Amino acid sequence: MLKKRIIVCLDVKDGRTTKGVQFQNNVDIGDPVDMAAEYYRQGVDELVFYDIIASSRGRGPILDLISRVAERVFIPFCVGGGIGSLDDIRSTILAGAEKISLNSQAVKNPDLIREGARVFGNQCIVLGMDAKKDSTAPSGYRVYINGGRVATDKDALEWAREAVKLGAGEIVLNSMDADGMKTGYEIDLTRLIAENVDVPVIASGGGGKSEHLAAVLSAGKADAALVASMVHSGEYTVGRIKQELAAAKIPVRL
């Protein structure tokens, strides 16, 4: 049985890790390189870094930060934010990232997924999707871009299918309604996407305790769970999460 992955997300703003609730009221919580090294020491499977203001400011990827992280952690990590061209993808990978997350830029230019997958391989291209409940969208969820600030005309399920067809090898699916709330992942949304695409789906938004991860990894059919608040706050370590998931019969790498 394939092991489920635990992934820590670090939202980066002006070179510092920041944390907000539902994309608002972000506060500085530390140095992303030091934090990455600590989560690596705790046994995290992967890391994700998002420059949360790059796209809205029209800025490119955070190459200096990526190279400093690559010197200190020896697990796969993904970088998103401000990556809008093949050159941006190339420079991000050369700086040390294994995967590239395309979110706002992919919505604006879907060909970037196709070209990125053609040149660098599907395994390098991750679709980052911020979805919010919307009864007017066919699936009940609408896609947002620019750090959740701008609604699009894209339905979450339709966009997931389209992105996979274009070449995305993985989807990080963030529920804007649950983001930062620590009350549990959006199970229905996660299962909806996971059952309709043939690439791994990473659940994001809402993790507050190990039971939430167990639920989304089983009932939600996610291949991995992304955590932020619950480890950034010090309430949990990665090791504790994995031990509790293993006790709940969820297959994880210990």
Side-chain angles (χ1 to χ4, degrees):
M1 189 181 224
L2 274 178
K3 297 275 201 282
K4 303 286 190 176
R5 289 171 289 152
I6 308 304
I7 302 171
V8 170
C9 174
L10 296 102
D11 287 337
V12 179
K13 180 181 179 184
D14 299 325
R16 300 285 293 175
T17 307
T18 181
K19 192 72 195 89
V21 175
Q22 294 180 319
F23 292 70
Q24 294 178 350
N25 304 319
N26 286 71
V27 293
D28 184 319
I29 57 170
D31 176 72
V33 181
D34 289 342
M35 292 175 73
E38 171 58 21
Y39 293 131
Y40 171 63
R41 190 191 66 75
Q42 290 180 17
V44 74
D45 297 308
E46 294 184 25
L47 293 162
V48 176
F49 297 85
Y50 291 129
D51 186 331
I52 60 172
I53 54 174
S55 286
S56 60
R57 288 188 181 174
R59 201 180 60 228
I62 41 177
L63 300 178
D64 171 57
L65 174 69
I66 298 163
S67 59
R68 286 189 292 129
V69 169
E71 288 171 1
R72 295 185 61 185
V73 307
F74 304 96
I75 51 173
F77 71 92
C78 179
V79 174
I83 299 171
S85 68
L86 281 183
D87 283 343
D88 287 340
I89 296 175
R90 183 177 289 106
S91 60
T92 302
I93 291 171
L94 288 173
E98 277 81 10
K99 301 177 186 179
I100 305 304
S101 177
L102 300 174
N103 188 324
S104 304
Q105 301 296 339
V107 171
K108 294 168 187 173
N109 175 20
D111 256 0
L112 188 58
I113 299 175
R114 182 189 288 117
E115 285 301 292
R118 181 182 65 79
V119 175
F120 302 101
N122 304 63
Q123 79 288 347
C124 282
I125 306 300
V126 178
L127 176 72
M129 187 199 306
D130 295 316
K132 192 174 187 179
K133 282 180 184 166
D134 184 338
S135 59
T136 66
S139 71
Y141 296 92
R142 184 170 300 282
V143 174
Y144 281 67
I145 59 170
N146 288 2
R149 288 184 284 274
V150 179
T152 72
D153 60 357
K154 289 193 179 295
D155 174 75
L157 178 56
E158 289 171 7
W159 176 226
R161 284 171 163 159
E162 182 186 345
V164 170
K165 202 173 286 183
L166 286 166
E170 197 165 66
I171 296 174
V172 173
L173 175 62
N174 186 51
S175 163
M176 291 177 61
D177 300 294
D179 183 81
M181 302 297 286
K182 294 165 67 175
T183 52
Y185 296 86
E186 177 84 69
I187 302 286
D188 292 342
L189 170 63
T190 308
R191 185 169 53 232
L192 172 73
I193 304 299
E195 287 181 340
N196 283 282
V197 296
D198 58 2
V199 300
V201 172
I202 300 164
S204 171
K209 49 189 182 181
S210 298
E211 291 88 341
H212 297 154
L213 281 82
V216 83
L217 292 169
S218 51
K221 301 194 174 178
D223 296 88
L226 191 143
V227 295
S229 303
M230 64 189 287
V231 290
H232 295 339
S233 66
E235 289 172 70
Y236 281 84
T237 62
V238 174
R240 179 184 163 192
I241 292 170
K242 287 189 170 188
Q243 294 287 352
E244 293 182 2
L245 287 175
K249 303 289 190 285
I250 303 291
V252 291
R253 292 187 189 91
L254 292 171

